[in-house]
């Protein structure tokens, strides 16, 4: 199965009538494995900062999480496992697996909990599969 199928069928799936506005799977080296057409163009330094926060939880909190030129306020996550951010009526959830970052971006009417469920469920599955 291609990584694009994971983005299209699993990250962009419908949950209670809502779906993510953008999603991607990015390798820990910063290479994009698959992404939605709406996923923002990002800088390598933005991925580096996210990876650093997984290694040093809380490092993004003072400056915020930046991705594709958007700034998200970092909110409660699971140190070393999940980073969550909020921006206006939307936000972002990033789940780290052994080999990649799963990134989901949402806007209302999707809720933070629905985004977390979609991204983290696929992430847990991929971790179980060795990815």
């Amino acid at each position: 199965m291609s990584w694009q199928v994971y983005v299209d069928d699993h990250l962009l799936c419908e949950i209670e009538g809502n779906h993510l506005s953008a999603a991607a799977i990015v390798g820990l080296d910063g290479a994009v494995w698959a992404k939605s057409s709406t996923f923002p163009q990002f800088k390598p330094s933005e991925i580096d900062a996210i990876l650093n926060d997984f290694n040093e939880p809380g490092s993004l909190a003072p400056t915020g999480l930046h991705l594709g030129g958007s700034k998200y306020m970092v909110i409660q996550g699971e140190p070393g496992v999940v980073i969550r951010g909020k921006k206006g009526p939307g936000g972002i959830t990033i789940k780290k697996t052994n080999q990649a970052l799963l990134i989901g971006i949402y806007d209302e009417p999707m809720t933070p909990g629905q985004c977390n469920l979609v991204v983290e469920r696929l992430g847990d599955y991929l971790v179980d599969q060795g990815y």
Side-chain angles (χ1 to χ4, degrees), residues 1 7 14 17 22 38 50 57 67-68 73 79 90 93-94 100 107 111 115 123:
M1 183 184 296
V7 170
E14 190 171 295
T38 54
I50 290 167
L67 187 71
M73 178 179 65
T93 300
I94 305 171
D107 290 301
T111 67
C115 178

Side-chain angles (χ1 to χ4, degrees), residues 31-125:
V32 176
W33 292 7
K35 66 182 182 73
S36 65
S37 61
T38 54
F39 197 78
Q41 181 68 38
F42 59 84
K43 298 177 187 156
S45 60
E46 294 172 327
I47 297 298
D48 291 343
I50 290 167
L51 288 169
N52 186 57
D53 193 81
F54 281 111
N55 296 326
E56 299 175 32
S59 66
L60 284 177
T63 60
L65 184 159
H66 293 82
L67 187 71
S70 292
K71 179 180 177 180
Y72 297 88
M73 178 179 65
V74 178
I75 56 175
Q76 170 271 333
E78 294 175 54
V81 180
V82 176
I83 299 171
R84 298 183 185 114
K86 189 86 174 111
K87 178 185 170 209
I92 189 168
T93 300
I94 305 171
K95 167 78 175 181
K96 183 176 183 268
T97 71
N98 300 322
Q99 298 179 22
L101 300 174
L102 278 67
I103 305 170
I105 300 172
Y106 69 94
D107 290 301
E108 285 184 333
M110 186 171 226
T111 67
Q114 290 170 330
C115 178
N116 297 342
L117 180 70
V118 169
V119 174
E120 294 173 36
R121 185 173 52 195
L122 179 58
D124 290 342
Y125 169 78

